[in-house]
Amino acid sequence: MLKKSVLALPIALAVIGMAYAAPGQKPEETLDELIKKSPNPGYLTQSPQNIMMLPDNPAWDVVEAGEKLFKEARGPKNVSLEKCDFGKGPGVLAGAHTELPRYFADAGKVMDLDSRLVYCMKTLQGFTNDDAAIKQKHGSDSDIMKLQTYIASKSNGYAWNPPMNHPLEKAMRDAGEVMFYRRAGTMDFNCAACHSQSEKRIRASVLPNVYDPLDWSKAISWPAQRTSHDHVRSSQHRVLECLWQMRYPNIKNGSDASIALISFWTDAARGQPAVLPDLKR
Amino acid sequence: MFKKTPVAASLVAAASLLLITGGCSATNTGKTAEAKPAAAVPAKVDYTKMTPAALAEYLVLESDGFDLKQPTQEGTTGRHRLTQDEIQKACSLGKGKEVDDKTREKVMALAAASIKYPEGGIKLGDWKKGRELAWSGYGFRTAHNPDDHVKGTPGGNCYNCHQLATDRTGGNIGPALTGYGARGTSPDMLKYTYDVIYNPHVYFACTNMPRMGAVGVLNQQQIADIMAYLLDPNSPVNKQ
């Protein structure tokens, strides 16, 4: 297991005291901060290779491609995404992802990063569901993943802080909590079966504990490069993977069911800094 | 097997109430959405008027969030997989909640009633076959990448949660079963082990261990093979 002091101390010192915003902090510094704070770092430190590789995360190439796409005039309306409001005002990306899902009055819905991005690509740029730009949801070569990875990278080091002011934000979070404990499927699984204790493992994989915000902050830090997939993956994709193991049927990307789960899981990491983009096994 | 109870009555009541008020948009508030073909648009439902449990049930089974028509390997649909039976419902305990005595008794009784024993009595099978079954996590997965039971035999997933023999890394959601054979093969021990694999709720109400006999993931012969892997003195589980 890695010692808690692997990463440069001076950098770690520089970020102390920045509870809600850490502009310029690198994902490896944020992870180091989580590891140092954790009394049970088994999940956070389980892959020394990934910790070592984090500064050279292949996801940075995807971030770069995403930034280009974001600023490029595209779609039938030939405009960029720079006027898209991710919750903190048009064009404001810093700390926007760590405050999602949230309620958007223009759409009348609680949206996660994925669905908000799609909303802007439709309303601002004029894309439709049939366009490849929106249709292809997964893989580092998809527009959606390039854009999400770029947008989320602007929230590294920011504390998860999904708003709970609108009644729908609360309703979705609370329903997501019920879903987290709702047992179903061939194996009777709920999410809690695998994610409610520290340092539990499925085979060799150490599982993050939803009750430990330090674990959980990294756990929900998506997009992340999945080394075993050789692709950047989204929160929506992680939901899908766990539901697959649970023997549940397919969940629809951007459905309220998926957003309710993501609302609950983001709330569970409240106050801890996001590692974006992350690198996972 | 287990009786599937449909969506909680309270939800049905809540939803039908809301249906009366609805009918104008796909969004979940009073906001007017862009015009969409009316046929594809479900009636409006006000999430903020529902209890968290009712909303969760609605999101899982009524909101078109899951592919409820997705075929399953056992010939049912996604809806069947997501509809809770009595044990699943009784055991969906929230944060920090423990099962109460009344529920425990009910769950244990339901579990006991589910167990069917082999006609010739419980015997140990072939530990080598059991070893493969204990290791395999294949089977019954659907979602984006459905398992094909013609190409692969569904396994018991035991290593996902248990350390068994030491030649493979097992999980620790369940207790380590290394050296399990030291408990012997008395009729009581055979029955206990068979029961736990068939339906562990009979001893451990609301356990996280699946009911692999009761739901048909493993047949009686496969359970006998896995039991041999646990109990046969020649099995790697019982050799250092």
Side-chain angles (χ1 to χ4, degrees), chain A residues 105 107-108 168 171 181-183 185-188 199-203 211 244 247-252 256, chain B residues 28-29 47 57 64-65 67 70 81-82 84 88 91-93 135 137 139-140 142 145 160 170 172 207 211:
Chain A
L168 271 174
Y181 295 100
R182 187 184 184 279
R183 299 182 66 167
T186 317
M187 301 290 182
D188 304 330
E199 317 221 345
K200 284 288 171 191
R201 285 181 289 103
I202 286 282
R203 301 201 182 179
Y211 301 136
W244 177 73
R247 278 75 181 172
Y248 285 23
N250 227 342
I251 193 163
K252 296 185 182 166
D256 284 350
Chain B
N28 48 29
T29 62
Y47 291 181
E57 214 56 29
D64 200 31
D67 184 356
Q70 183 168 23
R81 289 270 181 100
L82 289 173
Q84 293 180 299
Q88 289 170 335
C91 295
S92 293
L93 303 161
W135 178 250
F140 295 95
T142 46
N145 189 13
N160 281 340
N172 64 358
T207 178
R211 301 167 277 174

Side-chain angles (χ1 to χ4, degrees), chain B residues 12 43 145 179 209 219:
Chain B
V12 175
N145 189 13
M209 178 165 160
N219 62 33

Side-chain angles (χ1 to χ4, degrees), chain A:
Chain A
M1 209 131 291
L2 268 209
K3 274 277 131 50
K4 293 190 177 190
S5 54
V6 264
L7 296 166
L9 187 63
I11 310 167
L13 287 175
V15 299
I16 284 175
M18 296 186 191
Y20 275 81
Q25 187 174 322
K26 297 192 177 98
E28 53 271 30
E29 293 159 1
T30 312
L31 177 57
D32 194 40
E33 187 186 330
L34 289 173
I35 293 171
K36 283 201 171 87
K37 282 195 281 192
S38 177
N40 298 305
Y43 165 69
L44 296 169
T45 56
Q46 69 175 309
S47 173
Q49 293 99 306
N50 283 359
I51 292 177
M52 247 159 55
M53 266 174 63
L54 195 50
D56 302 312
N57 192 343
W60 285 116
D61 295 338
V62 185
V63 167
E64 205 178 299
E67 178 167 14
K68 264 201 212 105
L69 271 188
F70 189 84
K71 294 178 176 165
E72 192 181 307
R74 300 174 74 222
K77 297 189 185 168
N78 202 36
V79 290
S80 79
L81 283 168
E82 285 160 306
K83 292 265 157 61
C84 181
D85 183 353
F86 287 93
K88 306 197 70 158
V92 181
L93 297 186
H97 179 47
T98 36
E99 294 186 23
L100 292 172
R102 72 156 71 218
Y103 174 76
F104 288 92
D106 53 7
K109 277 173 73 72
V110 174
M111 294 173 144
D112 65 347
L113 176 58
D114 202 298
S115 48
R116 186 61 185 171
L117 174 60
V118 167
Y119 179 86
C120 283
M121 290 170 79
K122 286 183 181 172
T123 54
L124 295 178
Q125 298 184 307
F127 285 114
T128 68
N129 283 338
D130 296 331
D131 290 313
I134 283 182
K135 221 178 188 168
Q136 197 191 335
K137 300 286 185 201
H138 303 302
S140 295
D141 50 350
S142 67
D143 291 356
I144 294 277
M145 286 316 299
K146 287 177 192 166
L147 288 163
Q148 274 197 49
T149 311
Y150 166 62
I151 296 161
S153 74
K154 298 291 178 195
S155 289
N156 179 66
Y158 285 79
W160 295 105
N161 187 27
M164 289 293 151
N165 304 319
H166 194 278
L168 271 174
E169 290 166 345
K170 221 169 155 302
M172 291 285 273
R173 181 237 166 259
D174 291 352
E177 177 167 8
V178 175
M179 287 170 69
F180 197 88
Y181 295 100
R182 187 184 184 279
R183 299 182 66 167
T186 317
M187 301 290 182
D188 304 330
F189 285 136
N190 56 13
C191 311
C194 293
H195 295 297
S196 60
Q197 283 172 277
S198 289
E199 317 221 345
K200 284 288 171 191
R201 285 181 289 103
I202 286 282
R203 301 201 182 179
S205 298
V206 186
L207 300 160
N209 176 4
V210 74
Y211 301 136
D212 178 352
L214 297 166
D215 267 15
W216 205 249
S217 185
K218 175 175 158 66
I220 65 160
S221 289
W222 301 97
Q225 177 79 13
R226 279 294 298 278
T227 50
S228 56
H229 294 193
D230 209 14
H231 276 287
V232 162
R233 296 299 191 198
S234 63
S235 304
Q236 288 278 341
H237 193 276
R238 185 65 244 183
V239 170
L240 193 58
E241 280 186 77
C242 282
L243 293 175
W244 177 73
Q245 297 179 63
M246 294 163 82
R247 278 75 181 172
Y248 285 23
N250 227 342
I251 193 163
K252 296 185 182 166
N253 202 287
S255 61
D256 284 350
S258 66
I259 294 171
L261 269 174
I262 292 172
S263 292
F264 170 67
W265 90 11
T266 310
D267 187 51
R270 182 177 297 284
Q272 297 305 330
V275 182
L276 291 165
D278 193 17
L279 187 72
K280 291 179 166 80
R281 53 171 54 219

